[in-house]
Amino acid sequence: MSLSTYYVMCKSVLGYYMRGKQLPSWDLKLQVFCDVVRYYSQLRFPECSDDDIDTIDFDQMHRGFQSQPMPPTELSTKVGVYRGFAIDADAQAIDPHTLDGLGLAEQPLRALIEQDARCPRQIPCELVASWTACAAHNIRRDSHKAALEPVPLANSEKIVLCLHGGAYVMGSPASHRETLGKFSACTGLRCLAIDYRLAPRHPFPAQFHDALLAFYYLVAQGFKPKNILLLGDSAGGHLCVGLVMLLKHIAQSTGSQLRPGAVMLLSPMPGLLLDGDSLRTQAMFDYVAPTPLEWPNAPMRLLYKPGHKCTDEYRKELAYPLLTPVNGDLSGFPPTIVQCGGSEVLVDDIRKLAEKLQKDNHERVQVVYDEYPEMVHVFHRFSYRPEADAAFSRLAKFVAELKQPS
């Protein structure tokens, strides 16, 4: 532990006991975590401007993120098991013509498809199976290998495609292993988490390409699209919304059925253009430190055209629906649940996203919005908190209420 981290931690502990809790329901552990991670967030994304853009080495920045990744978490053997493997990207055929009329992402996606054809690569991933999920298919603990094979264990089996958070610059299946284990345990579903490409080395739409390939992979493995559920937190939630929009476009151009069975969004990044008051009013509570669009090292700037100045034209491009979904047509979504904390910096913009989903899918499908008072960004990771238990129980209820596939 560095001296500066120790100082921040001690200051936070003293503040807790001398000035009291920052919010009435908070405990010492949560308050210290938020203070320390907010400090690190400010170090990772220091204030700068477009005047500094020519001095920023974005490749070095990428290496920095990877040299200090989000810490891996462990899946307790009491909860379940997991296995790592890789998807062959070139084996999942995407017809470039299905992207016709997609707009801003069309040509970059075509280029990525061509690149995969020339230079085959793999997408690392992990399959997580709780003992609850194993028991649902009469798989015993001492013979669980079948549960770690990415094929349907029954014709009607639902599987969850998980897209991790981390501001599109950090995160991995390993960093979310514990959370996915808990989700699998409470729902009885297996989870496939992919290690999609990260910015700034791999800017938009590389992440969307990988998510689409993973969805196609599960279909090729025998899962019906309606039996594939999407789960994403933070940036992964943003990616889930974009994936549904992308699948909808492809389905309309091919006449095929590609709609997933459900979408579960945990504190989703609402878009790249944010204007909610909570960016200011909740900054003293949430561990996520807001980074203005004017900063070239802000995560949204690293995702889309890193190194480009924030001109009026650039801002217009950020309004593109795959980047800022509230600007698009969100009709045709499957049943969706959105969960967030009432004290996170993104809460105002997450509300707008949920309202847009409800408006565009009015009376057609269920769109649930759950806000947990005094909780912060992706509070689900605080497994000891009762709010996390309540959120997972609500997710389990949401999954149980989905119509059984025919």
Side-chain angles (χ1 to χ4, degrees):
M1 182 188 301
S2 69
L3 186 60
S4 59
T5 302
Y6 183 73
Y7 170 77
V8 173
M9 185 177 296
C10 290
K11 183 179 178 181
S12 180
V13 172
L14 286 173
Y16 182 87
Y17 286 111
M18 295 181 69
R19 293 190 299 274
K21 303 175 182 181
Q22 291 184 16
L23 289 170
S25 66
W26 281 21
D27 57 273
L28 176 62
K29 186 176 180 179
L30 178 57
Q31 186 155 315
V32 171
F33 176 90
C34 288
D35 287 341
V36 171
V37 175
R38 187 185 310 114
Y39 167 73
Y40 269 115
S41 181
Q42 291 166 345
L43 290 181
R44 282 183 179 270
F45 303 102
E47 182 176 355
C48 58
S49 71
D50 278 350
D51 292 337
D52 308 309
I53 204 165
D54 293 333
T55 67
I56 299 175
D57 185 337
F58 289 95
D59 195 59
Q60 176 60 39
M61 185 182 294
H62 183 90
R63 290 195 297 270
F65 287 131
Q66 301 317 304
S67 66
Q68 294 181 313
M70 291 176 67
T73 58
E74 293 303 320
L75 175 64
S76 170
T77 54
K78 295 180 180 180
V79 176
V81 288
Y82 72 92
R83 180 174 77 89
F85 62 101
I87 297 171
D88 291 321
D90 60 313
Q92 318 310 316
I94 300 176
D95 182 357
H97 296 295
T98 62
L99 305 175
D100 290 350
L102 186 61
L104 201 64
E106 179 180 340
Q107 291 307 318
L109 278 172
R110 286 176 180 269
L112 290 170
I113 293 170
E114 293 172 3
Q115 188 176 45
D116 277 352
R118 294 194 307 269
C119 305
R121 65 183 177 90
Q122 293 185 316
I123 304 172
C125 53
E126 286 186 2
L127 186 61
V128 175
S130 65
W131 299 128
T132 307
C134 290
H137 298 282
N138 300 314
I139 295 174
R140 292 165 37 188
R141 295 191 182 195
D142 58 358
S143 57
H144 61 256
K145 287 187 177 180
L148 297 178
E149 293 299 322
V151 294
L153 298 174
N155 288 335
S156 61
E157 185 194 7
K158 295 183 178 70
I159 193 168
V160 185
L161 175 57
C162 305
L163 305 174
H164 67 78
Y168 281 121
V169 298
M170 295 176 286
S172 68
S175 65
H176 285 59
R177 199 177 286 149
E178 181 183 15
T179 301
L180 296 184
K182 185 169 184 177
F183 176 84
S184 177
C186 76
T187 60
L189 302 180
R190 296 189 294 161
C191 300
L192 177 69
I194 67 167
D195 198 0
Y196 59 80
R197 288 170 288 180
L198 298 174
R201 182 174 294 169
H202 302 288
F204 172 87
Q207 303 75 18
F208 292 73
H209 182 217
D210 287 352
L212 181 61
L213 289 171
F215 190 90
Y216 276 29
Y217 169 78
L218 287 174
V219 172
Q221 291 296 103
F223 291 96
K224 298 175 183 178
K226 64 183 179 181
N227 288 342
I228 302 173
L229 315 184
L230 304 184
L231 172 68
D233 69 291
S234 193
H238 178 262
L239 186 51
C240 283
V241 175
L243 176 58
V244 176
M245 297 172 75
L246 189 53
L247 289 168
K248 175 183 170 182
H249 177 90
I250 294 173
Q252 289 174 340
S253 66
T254 61
S256 57
Q257 176 53 257
L258 290 174
R259 192 174 84 163
V263 182
M264 292 164 280
L265 308 175
L266 317 184
S267 294
M269 178 194 290
L272 271 60
L273 290 177
L274 306 172
D275 59 7
D277 288 341
S278 57
L279 291 167
R280 173 182 50 83
T281 60
Q282 304 300 332
M284 64 182 295
F285 303 120
D286 203 357
Y287 61 85
V288 175
T291 49
L293 189 60
E294 290 75 19
W295 296 6
N297 63 345
M300 58 281 275
R301 296 277 299 275
L302 298 180
L303 174 66
Y304 184 69
K305 291 184 176 180
H308 283 64
K309 292 191 174 183
C310 190
T311 61
D312 290 342
E313 183 60 30
Y314 182 87
R315 289 174 181 268
K316 289 179 182 178
E317 292 177 3
L318 293 185
Y320 177 58
L322 283 184
L323 294 174
T324 304
V326 293
N327 294 325
D329 176 9
L330 300 184
S331 64
F333 260 60
T336 300
I337 183 169
V338 183
Q339 295 182 330
C340 71
S343 294
E344 62 174 288
V345 294
L346 297 177
V347 63
D348 284 352
D349 287 290
I350 292 175
R351 286 191 196 117
K352 292 175 186 176
L353 174 62
E355 289 167 1
K356 173 69 171 174
L357 283 163
Q358 290 170 336
K359 177 183 176 182
D360 287 4
N361 295 279
H362 180 59
E363 295 182 352
R364 297 184 184 92
V365 297
Q366 181 186 32
V367 177
V368 178
Y369 175 67
D370 291 333
E371 189 175 304
Y372 293 77
E374 298 185 2
M375 284 296 98
V376 293
H377 191 59
V378 197
F379 61 93
H380 309 72
R381 294 173 67 87
F382 302 103
S383 57
Y384 71 96
R385 292 285 308 192
E387 295 88 351
D389 287 338
F392 277 110
S393 295
R394 183 66 184 89
L395 290 170
K397 184 175 183 289
F398 174 80
V399 169
E401 290 173 347
L402 294 174
K403 291 181 179 179
Q404 291 296 319
S406 57

